Amino acid sequence: MTRPHALITGGAGFIGSHLADVLLDRGFEVTILDCLLPQVHADGEMGPDGWPAYLDPRVRRIYGDVLDADAFEASLEGVTHLAHLAASVGVGQSMTNIVDYTRNNALAAAVMLETLTHRPHSVRRIAVASSMSIYGEGHYGPTADGRYVSPPPRTHEQLKARRWELSLDGEILTPKPTPEDKPLQPTSIYAVNKRDHEEMFLAVGRALEIPTVALRLFNAYGSRQALSNPYTGVAAIFISRLLNDQPPLVFEDGEQRRDFVHVLDVADAFAAVLESEDPMWEACNVGSGRSIAINEIAYVLARLLGKNIAPEVLNTFRVGDIRHCFADTGKIERLFGFTPRRDFEVGMRELIDWVRSVGRPIDRSERSLAELAASRMVV
Ligand SMILES: NC(=O)c1ccc[n+]([C@@H]2O[C@H](COP(=O)([O-])OP(=O)(O)OC[C@H]3O[C@@H](n4cnc5c(N)ncnc54)[C@H](O)[C@@H]3O)[C@@H](O)[C@H]2O)c1
């Protein structure tokens, strides 16, 4: 049997580069296609060849944009497995840079899918990076009368009154793990784009009879996370604040709950999906299966860094933010036998060690906060 060959779009990025390592370990040949967005790739991380120094030397690198059909077609040579991760990834930024985000995250899918439709290639399996953000609010229940509900996003009126929790008929709702069949209610341009791109890949993958799986990633954390990018990765942003002796800035009251999943668990999930031979066109959650409040993350990181700095609770909200969302991880376990296995605190220690090893990051939180406020995205 010929050796499987994976193309990872966005393979120079945080998750893509870990996926490259995992697939190499599992016997894949790996090519990456990446346009090295300056917001993601700070000069300091680059090796002499102009690519991030953390990339494995065995990875074949193609500098190019997935919006360029010719570049994408050329990078498909000999490829059997496609992992599409290239994207612009800032939820808040997507609300002000709407054209750029829609071009990079939805139109790019159209370009790639037309290429796969019209031009010759050998791709026999696709995995695409989707996002938990497409759910909008998470799943809630049981209510006093035993129901599970998927409430609509909170209204501006409610948020302006600083009533952060979801309620139904006066009853505060309890968050539950969110399953894949929860109705999708994206609340940001990023989320709308990710939903569209997921559905486009599933529809065209089915039409072309190429098994396709969309992985709805929850909040990934780990080494190689873009510390210079103020719009992504709350754990990395908090570490960069703390290392600069600044308090982590927390929206609302900080009690909103999320699901933080180790980047190697995410990479393993992609690998499990790509290695499977089952014909399937499905969307699956990739999370840790446990939830944590944003305040708790700030306190854990401060403790691990030996800093006596409490988070600064802003009591403001970002337009489009949801209150609670964490993963029901049952479906990917049933379909692909995948379970996350990394411990949160061990993972956070690794993240801190890595941040320390790359030097003190520049903290751009206040600048990005001011930009969001100027465009009325923080209230
Ligand atoms: N990090 C998370 O917590 C998270 C959560 C949910 C979903 N995702 C999704 O996972 C994927 C990877 O995210 P990440 O955190 O590794 O982001 P990242 O920003 O670290 O990596 C993205 C990579 O894609 C490249 N890229 C962007 N646009 C491109 C284009 N048009 N052509 C070629 N390359 C391009 C960038 O240069 C970068 O190297 C994205 O699709 C993102 O939406 C990530």
Side-chain angles (χ1 to χ4, degrees), residues 10 12-15 33-37 40-41 64-66 85-87 89 104 129-131 190 194 217-220:
F14 164 47
I15 298 173
L33 172 65
D34 202 296
C35 66
L36 301 175
L37 289 182
V40 180
H41 298 284
D65 195 316
V66 291
L85 284 86
V89 302
N104 213 26
S130 185
S131 165
Y190 170 78
K194 291 305 269 189
L217 312 183
F218 281 65
N219 296 69

Side-chain angles (χ1 to χ4, degrees), residues 342-362:
R342 273 82 183 184
D343 176 76
F344 176 76
E345 256 198 56
V346 174
M348 286 292 154
R349 276 185 206 282
E350 287 167 12
L351 178 61
I352 289 170
D353 288 347
W354 173 74
V355 173
R356 283 206 165 111
S357 75
V358 293
R360 177 182 287 204
I362 303 162

